[in-house]
Amino acid sequence: MPKKCVILGAGGHARVLIDCLQTAAIVELVGILDPNPDLIGKEIFGIPIIGNDDMLAELQGKGVDWFVIGLGGTGNNRPRIHLFDLACRNGLKPLTVHHPSAIVSSKAEIGDGAQLLPGCIVNANARIGRNCILNSGSIVEHDCIIGDHVHIATGAKLASTVRVGEGAHIGAGATIRQCIEIGEFAVVGAGSVVVRNVQPNIIVIGVPAKPLKQE
């Protein structure tokens, strides 16, 4: 029997995940939960939006054991963390999403609920934490360590031995030099080139990347 799975969030990121899961054909998607009442009864790629997060406990009692976070992240990953923890507290298990076109070394470690989207690459001895997004075309080189709840956005490239702290966001097309450390909940702006360590909870942008000045 296929695993029964619910998706949390009905935005654009959910569309990508549904496409991945339908392509891989490894789960039965029973529905989507979203807090917007105007979406209930609508569908995404044939998957109905059936209610809000209050249904989690009810679904678990009906044989739905798995969840996927359909909420993306544009710099703030805390809402994804909240949904992840909420679903776990309601007894569901995080499903790891692996698009067939993603290239993942058999020597890499992938955390529960990670999302490996089309064309991403994870090389040998890399470690990916729970609830991470490795978005389309991103590259995580050998010996990188990616903390829980990190989003590595489309086309971002991490050279070898990079460490990324929990909840950080690496923007689209960013490049991180080898041996760099990115602190927890830091944000690397799109297209930036990081050649120095980034402290926790700050935003860096540019080439080379520098802290964003707050006006």
Side-chain angles (χ1 to χ4, degrees), residues 48 50 64 98 153:
I50 59 176
V64 179
H98 185 166

Short mmCIF file of all heavy atoms in Angstrom, two decimals, residues 48 50 64 98 153:
data_model
loop_
_atom_site.label_atom_id
_atom_site.label_comp_id
_atom_site.label_asym_id
_atom_site.label_seq_id
_atom_site.Cartn_x
_atom_site.Cartn_y
_atom_site.Cartn_z
N PRO A 48 -7.12 17.89 -3.77
CA PRO A 48 -8.05 18.86 -3.17
C PRO A 48 -7.48 19.56 -1.95
O PRO A 48 -6.71 18.98 -1.18
CB PRO A 48 -9.24 17.98 -2.79
CG PRO A 48 -8.65 16.63 -2.53
CD PRO A 48 -7.52 16.50 -3.52
N ILE A 50 -8.51 20.55 1.47
CA ILE A 50 -9.58 19.96 2.26
C ILE A 50 -9.85 20.66 3.59
O ILE A 50 -10.83 20.35 4.26
CB ILE A 50 -9.29 18.46 2.52
CG1 ILE A 50 -7.96 18.28 3.25
CG2 ILE A 50 -9.31 17.68 1.21
CD1 ILE A 50 -7.66 16.84 3.62
N VAL A 64 -3.57 8.60 7.78
CA VAL A 64 -2.58 9.46 7.12
C VAL A 64 -1.41 9.60 8.06
O VAL A 64 -1.51 10.24 9.11
CB VAL A 64 -3.19 10.84 6.77
CG1 VAL A 64 -2.13 11.72 6.12
CG2 VAL A 64 -4.40 10.68 5.87
N HIS A 98 12.20 13.39 -3.05
CA HIS A 98 13.39 13.22 -3.88
C HIS A 98 12.95 13.14 -5.33
O HIS A 98 12.46 12.11 -5.78
CB HIS A 98 14.13 11.95 -3.47
CG HIS A 98 15.43 11.73 -4.17
ND1 HIS A 98 16.37 10.81 -3.75
CD2 HIS A 98 15.97 12.30 -5.28
CE1 HIS A 98 17.41 10.83 -4.56
NE2 HIS A 98 17.18 11.73 -5.50
N ALA A 153 18.26 28.02 -2.09
CA ALA A 153 17.34 28.40 -3.16
C ALA A 153 17.88 28.02 -4.54
O ALA A 153 19.01 27.53 -4.70
CB ALA A 153 17.04 29.90 -3.08
#
